[in-house]
Amino acid sequence: MLTAVFSLTGALVFGAADFLGGLAAKRISALLATAVAALSGVVLLLLALPLLGGEWTAHDVLWGAISGVVGCIGIALLYACLAIGPMSILSPTTAVVSAIVPVLYGLVVGGERFGPIGYWGLGLALVAVVLVGFVPERGAVRPSLRGILMAVGSGAAIGGFYIAIDQTSDESGIVPLILNRGVNAALMFAAVAIVAVVAAARARRVRAVVDAGAVTRPSAGLTADASGGRMPRAARPALAAGIRLAVACGVVDATANALLLFGIRAGDLSIAAVLGAMYPAGTILLAALVLRERIAPVQWAGLVLALAAAAMLALA
């Protein structure tokens, strides 16, 4: 019962985080959005550590760090594909893959077994996730091949995060999540720095060409950028808005991950993972309300099936 409650609640909160992350990635780069979100998340978790507690052991620190590397790949791909859009299809695609990977691990490697209602609930949940992302109407927006491949890769990595975090002990509390967010932030800021260095080097080469043209052919009207490479004033509001959205995303994402961690520890990995995969519901509803993206009738049916599956899994 607790697994179903924690996991489904965490999924809805996670969907809101994905929506905020997708909006942030439209205003700033997906790398920067992920880095800022991870940093704000680890700050929140560190503040919550005295309240929630947790033991620091080499085993839990290692698996927390591994989950951070895998999760970093998954979340970066997720935000990037959500920025491409449409959110209402790519988010559920990621969710299906992210559910299948840990379910197979739990059943094959972990030896998890359920009663008949449990297996029916797992199957119904996967169907629900597929229906939520299915848009059959004529003229509906279809995702690009690039977006689909990124969504599948993201789902596989997120599934790996579930498996890695499941290896940690109950006594570790939220310590693995702190390592997860910390490693995520370090990797993403390193990636941002590399991209910035490459961009700066490219800009210097362009200015060198422009300066050479201005000296040898003054009539061409080619001059160096008067801004000195600084960000145009018009772009600053978008950057500030993107940063704010990324910070909010990190806070919401850390909360969702804590709920999902509690769900995993309260019961079976398979149940927690498949219910956690319901997060597209939150993303889709917010996308419909804020971005006016269309929700097809079959998607509403998927949401109803998702609730039914959650009830069946709560009884499993």
Side-chain angles (χ1 to χ4, degrees), residues 96-114 122 126 159 163 269-271 273-274:
V96 171
V97 180
S98 70
I100 291 176
V101 170
V103 164
L104 290 178
Y105 177 89
L107 295 176
V108 176
V109 179
E112 297 176 352
R113 296 294 181 268
F114 311 103
L122 288 174
L126 292 176
I163 296 172
L269 173 63
S270 299
I271 293 178
V274 76

Side-chain angles (χ1 to χ4, degrees), residues 1 62 72 92 129 164 226:
M1 182 64 179
L62 175 61
C72 180
V129 173

Side-chain angles (χ1 to χ4, degrees), residues 219-247:
S219 61
L222 298 175
T223 58
D225 185 2
S227 68
R230 292 177 297 176
M231 176 179 295
R233 183 172 299 177
R236 294 174 186 173
L239 174 63
I243 295 295
R244 287 194 296 270
L245 286 167
V247 170

